[in-house]
């Protein structure tokens, strides 16, 4: 198997693109895919300040590295959820990447430690609230990422969601025809109202396998373990299914998610609509000021409830 | 496990409905589901003449039996595709059902034998045409069912497609976002133009498992083998996946397909649209007169091509 570009020995075969690449050409290919995604979705410019949400896993560290390499102005935020040794190890990986790579670009790391700031780790909070850990964690991360981005005047917040993440989430939303979620499942969510950061997903064109290969080739030292709380989740089941279909028909995930995006774009002037809908139903939370559709936002409700139960 | 209705011992548990039933109550339950589907989709009345497409399998024979039992005016059509012992056995099952059950209701069986009428079985035709057998078979069945229905003045043509068939077809259409197929995936396709029969799927609310149980309880002697040509098909893979999801979350198939139908109905005055679109682009085939969007319909093209290659 030879590299499509330079004809040396290839290290990865991409049946969905009908191509194979050697390490340097593969790295170039992924960079091009990211640039193409940023442009196609009009995500951000070189003058804007970007905050990347990092977990210590392959996707978010790869995103940080690629954006730095491409010359974007980017810092990162790590939210330490306090999930025992998993969080400790993840934090170590993030710190190491910051020291070894990001510091060379004068890129900064923000850290928010849930146990210190909220008084308990995510598992204890979930137990107090009688809520599943993953949904408690979702509320926490969405809230803190947005807060840090807005308070520090970042223009845009970027997450490491990849094609596998988006395709499996789309499958879940389609199986239940969750129209509201389907409407908002886009790699670029505009900052519709004061208090919301713009949110983008620059890796939406890359598969998990491509990102893992990139991380290995480019010596990114990442947390290999999955979060222990995610075991048995629906998302993992959907991913497994899509991987099975991908093996039978290379390109399935891409056709499914990109096809959805095209359909969405054709169907309407999407950005305008999301902005209009949000402006109609969102206003500042009475407690913290972040936009919410209720009087008190879900994070503040969650934390108030947790306090009454301590 | 006790029957939800009469509290005797249950024979089947339906987690998606959160109910269990004994044999007679289960039979009643399925009849009610079919009646509900016929009404909800405005399929046909007791005065209309129905032609059921039968293959000898559990779905189509069960459909024939239920419609007879409910007092509808129904005959059947069997298309013998000439697939060796599989077709022979299927034909036997259909003949036996006609003799043992249908004849008591004075319900008639039409038979179309591909080998006699078209000069070769479906496998040979597919080979001659260099086309996959399943798509050749699809064209053949759609054409012959419609022809027999229209020539014999049936008001409507019914097929035994069940919830598993429709959900897996929907999954395939959604994975590729095939808008045109999605638009027409409904349990009631109107007779949009002269020469097309109305097409309905009265079993769309029933799972494969429910129909198989009904067939066993009600001693319907059916062809158990899958068509040997369907092995390894995408549809079987999709069904397997949906079954896996159904085990994890009972009701997945129902939510997926019924949710799609609701969304479709809300989105538009569907029937009118299909009728309008068809009237705009369909006209009689220059060879046989059945409606087509080309000059010659796909069946006549197929047969003309086969003849040049004999």
């Amino acid at each position: 198997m030879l590299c499509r570009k330079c004809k040396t020995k290839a290290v990865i075969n991409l049946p969905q693109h009908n191509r194979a690449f050697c390490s340097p050409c593969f790295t170039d290919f992924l960079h091009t895919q990211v640039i193409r995604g940023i442009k196609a979705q009009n995500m951000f410019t070189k003058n804007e300040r970007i905050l990347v949400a990092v977990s210590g896993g392959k996707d978010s560290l790869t995103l940080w590295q690629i954006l730095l390499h491409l010359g974007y102005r980017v810092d990162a935020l790590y939210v330490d959820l306090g999930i025992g040794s998993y969080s400790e190890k993840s934090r170590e990986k993030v710190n190491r990447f910051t020291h070894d790579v990001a510091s060379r670009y004068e890129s900064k790391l923000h850290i928010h430690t849930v146990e210190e700031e909220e008084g308990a780790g995510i598992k204890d909070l979930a137990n107090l609230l009688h809520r599943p850990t993953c949904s408690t964690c979702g509320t926490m991360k969405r809230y803190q990422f947005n807060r840090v981005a807005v308070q520090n005047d970042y223009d845009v917040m970027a997450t490491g969601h990849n094609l596998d993440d988006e395709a499996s989430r789309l499958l879940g939303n389609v199986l239940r025809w969750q129209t509201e979620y389907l409407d908002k499942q886009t790699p670029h969510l505009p900052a519709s109202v004061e208090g919301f950061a713009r949110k983008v997903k620059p890796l939406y064109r890359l598969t998990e396998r491509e990102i893992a290969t990139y991380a290995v080739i480019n010596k990114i030292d990442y947390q290999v373990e999955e979060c222990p709380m995610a075991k048995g989740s629906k998302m993992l089941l959907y991913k497994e299914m899509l991987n099975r279909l991908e093996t039978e028909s290379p390109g399935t995930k891409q056709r499914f998610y990109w096809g959805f995006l095209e359909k969405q774009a054709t169907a309407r002037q999407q950005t305008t609509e999301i902005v209009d809908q949000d402006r109609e139903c969102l206003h500042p939370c009475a407690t913290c000021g972040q936009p919410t559709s209720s009087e008190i936002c879900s994070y503040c409700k969650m934390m108030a409830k947790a306090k009454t139960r301590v």
Side-chain angles (χ1 to χ4, degrees), chain A residues 250-305:
Chain A
T252 297
K253 292 175 204 171
Q254 186 176 307
R255 272 193 299 276
F256 181 43
Y257 186 54
W258 298 13
F260 167 75
L261 292 179
E262 272 170 40
K263 193 177 127 78
Q264 206 182 37
T266 318
R268 58 188 169 99
Q269 296 271 319
Q270 178 206 345
T271 312
T272 326
E273 269 197 24
I274 293 177
V275 170
D276 287 349
Q277 278 169 14
D278 277 3
R279 286 194 183 153
E280 254 172 51
C281 71
L282 298 181
H283 48 80
C285 164
T287 306
C288 74
Q290 272 204 31
T292 172
S293 55
S294 317
E295 201 197 327
I296 310 284
C297 77
S298 47
Y299 172 83
C300 289
K301 269 187 213 155
M302 182 169 99
M303 295 317 298
K305 211 166 169 184

Side-chain angles (χ1 to χ4, degrees), chain A residues 49-57 59-65 67-68 72-80 93-95 97-99 101-103 105-112 144-145 148-149 152 154 156-160:
Chain A
R49 290 181 65 229
I50 304 159
L51 181 69
V52 176
V54 291
S55 66
D59 303 306
S60 54
L61 291 185
T62 294
L63 173 60
W64 196 2
Q65 164 135 341
L67 293 182
L68 287 172
Y72 286 100
R73 298 172 64 193
V74 50
D75 291 334
L77 166 67
Y78 174 68
V79 174
D80 187 328
K93 300 288 181 188
V94 173
N95 278 326
F97 185 91
T98 310
H99 180 265
V101 181
S103 62
Y105 295 85
E106 292 176 27
S107 175
K108 202 171 80 178
L109 175 68
H110 302 264
I111 293 185
H112 177 91
Q144 294 302 341
F145 285 148
V148 173
N152 295 278
Y154 287 97
V156 56
M157 219 194 83
T159 54

Side-chain angles (χ1 to χ4, degrees), chain A residues 31-46 48 50 63 66-67 70 72 158 187-188 200-205:
Chain A
H31 290 165
T32 307
Q33 288 295 322
V34 173
I35 293 169
R36 205 168 279 174
I38 292 170
K39 289 207 173 141
Q41 295 285 331
N42 201 13
M43 290 186 187
F44 42 70
T45 66
K46 293 240 162 140
E48 291 184 297
I50 304 159
L63 173 60
I66 292 181
L67 293 182
L70 294 176
Y72 286 100
H188 176 166
V200 298
K201 299 172 181 173
L203 305 187
Y204 79 95
R205 298 167 68 92

